[in-house]
Amino acid sequence: KKRGRRENMFKILIIRHGDPDYENDCLTEVGKRDVSLLSEKLAKRNIDMIFSSPYGRAKQTADAIAKTTGKAVEELDFLEEFDKKILDGENEFYPWKVPGNFLSFNSEIFNIAEFSDFKKYGEFFEEGFVDKLIETSSGLCAFLKEYGFIKVSGGYKRAAGNEENETKTLAFVCHNGKGVLLLSMLCELPPLQVWRRFFLPTSSVTEIVFSQCEDVFLPTCVLLGDVSHLSSEKEENFISEV
């Protein structure tokens, strides 16, 4: 019964690309194999549309899924990887790789949820960091508005006349950094906390369901970093190196 109710909900699948060759921005042979297994699994899902980061490794992953599911792929700029860093003196780190001592000494910034508040701590962020946060948030909100979900405090409200979208399943093919950021934005959690404490393995699936609570839809993570498709090949290393 629970499964039946979920089938009638709006869902976003956040899919991380397969094992990457970062230098050439493409998939490795391992990545291609893993994505093939993922595509076979996703063929059983009723995916309505696939959206991809413009990066090569994500596009290759999306194209493989499209071939199996028979769905079209559209590139979205806001799905590109988050490439801005946190600064600590002469050191700089991607936000999902900051060391523990930085967290302990600067814990207050790790609980910021409002993007504008990050500007108060500008010395900790590379130029363009906050702008990139806002661009991603604006892109996500504009995208969801096209499907009839308008951002409000605590979740999303449905615009009249978009009832047919309530049952759609959309796939975002992107990256660990951007995927975790989207997770934090959809679930309204402090992005730095989520970045540092959550990890999406390559070729993994994270599922967000928009569950209705009175007149507000609440995005809820019901599946995080799933790589169960790899078990069909007795994959020895389910989790990529963090």
Side-chain angles (χ1 to χ4, degrees), residues 2-14 45 144 149 155-156 166-170 183 186-187 206-213 216-224:
K2 289 183 179 179
R3 181 180 295 274
R5 285 199 295 271
R6 276 178 53 188
E7 288 303 314
N8 294 320
M9 295 177 178
F10 181 75
K11 296 177 285 293
I12 292 177
L13 305 181
I14 299 174
R45 296 291 303 264
L144 290 172
F149 292 95
Y156 294 82
E166 286 184 21
T167 60
K168 289 188 180 299
T169 297
L170 309 179
L183 174 64
L186 288 165
C187 297
T206 296
E207 182 173 350
I208 308 292
V209 170
F210 280 52
S211 57
Q212 187 170 5
C213 182
V216 175
F217 287 81
L218 304 175
T220 304
C221 181
V222 298
L223 187 68
L224 179 67

Side-chain angles (χ1 to χ4, degrees), residues 82-195:
F82 194 91
D83 58 359
K84 301 302 180 183
K85 297 179 180 180
I86 290 178
L87 308 177
D88 181 20
E90 295 181 356
N91 300 313
E92 55 182 35
F93 311 95
Y94 285 113
W96 49 92
K97 289 189 174 183
V98 291
N101 60 339
F102 182 86
L103 271 72
S104 14
F105 287 117
N106 304 283
S107 58
E108 69 278 2
I109 71 171
F110 280 82
N111 294 311
I112 297 175
E114 294 293 331
F115 303 138
S116 58
D117 289 343
F118 281 101
K119 294 180 180 178
K120 301 175 184 177
Y121 302 89
E123 70 271 21
F124 291 114
F125 303 110
E126 181 183 0
E127 183 179 356
F129 189 103
V130 179
D131 291 339
K132 194 82 169 182
L133 283 176
I134 294 173
E135 286 173 11
T136 302
S137 176
S138 298
L140 177 63
C141 288
F143 173 88
L144 290 172
K145 188 175 181 179
E146 291 182 7
Y147 283 84
F149 292 95
I150 300 171
K151 186 72 184 77
V152 296
S153 179
Y156 294 82
K157 283 199 172 183
R158 185 188 67 207
N162 288 274
E163 290 79 4
E164 74 278 2
N165 289 326
E166 286 184 21
T167 60
K168 289 188 180 299
T169 297
L170 309 179
F172 286 171
V173 183
C174 53
H175 313 266
N176 174 59
K178 183 52 64 77
V180 173
L181 178 59
L182 293 172
L183 174 64
S184 78
M185 290 178 171
L186 288 165
C187 297
E188 296 188 314
L189 299 170
L192 295 185
Q193 285 279 11
V194 181
W195 254 327

